[in-house]
Amino acid sequence: ENAVIVISLLKQMCVSLKVAAAVVIHQPSIDVFEQFDRMVLLSKGHCIFSNRLSKLPEYYEHILKEDMPELHVIPNDLLRRAANWDHREMVKDAGITPGGGNVDDGNIGDAFMR
């Protein structure tokens, strides 16, 4: 798959040059998804996840209140959730008030931006 080759080459270049790259990708395959170190997932203008991919199990456990699905399901599962995401409801369910402010003003991603 061409996307896998491009992302692989990009990652090799970034590692060898010690630089970062920001990539916007729509519906990545699991082979592409696995090559990323970090992810910023946006939904309806809100950041719902911004961290290392190794933190996804914590996101599923603490925010989504469920076990993380099999690895090959993750990209589609996250995209489906992002499309249907209601930040006010998720913040209230998680008991998070980011920045100590009003829950309605909160950004659920703040809990995962470390």
Side-chain angles (χ1 to χ4, degrees):
E1 179 176 304
N2 289 339
V4 174
I5 294 168
V6 170
I7 295 300
S8 179
L9 289 172
L10 181 61
K11 185 168 185 171
Q12 289 173 17
M13 286 174 47
C14 288
V15 169
S16 67
L17 297 172
K18 296 182 175 139
V19 298
V23 178
V24 176
I25 190 162
H26 179 70
Q27 295 184 329
S29 69
I30 188 62
D31 296 325
V32 169
F33 184 79
E34 287 180 321
Q35 293 196 48
F36 292 113
D37 298 316
R38 295 176 134 317
M39 177 178 67
V40 175
L41 183 61
L42 303 174
S43 176
K44 301 175 185 169
H46 296 273
C47 178
I48 62 174
F49 181 86
S50 178
N51 210 326
R52 297 192 160 280
L53 292 183
S54 62
K55 296 292 188 178
L56 277 174
E58 292 176 38
Y59 176 73
Y60 272 90
E61 180 182 346
H62 297 291
I63 300 300
L64 302 178
K65 306 284 189 214
E66 60 187 58
D67 293 333
M68 192 168 82
E70 295 294 319
L71 190 60
H72 69 278
V73 176
I74 292 173
N76 289 334
D77 182 62
L78 288 172
L79 292 170
R80 178 185 54 78
R81 289 175 184 279
N84 297 313
W85 187 69
D86 178 354
H87 80 281
R88 290 184 179 109
E89 200 57 41
M90 291 286 279
V91 169
K92 288 176 186 172
D93 288 349
I96 295 173
T97 51
N102 185 326
V103 171
D104 289 336
D105 297 332
N107 182 343
I108 196 95
D110 291 348
F112 290 91
M113 293 181 149
R114 296 185 183 97

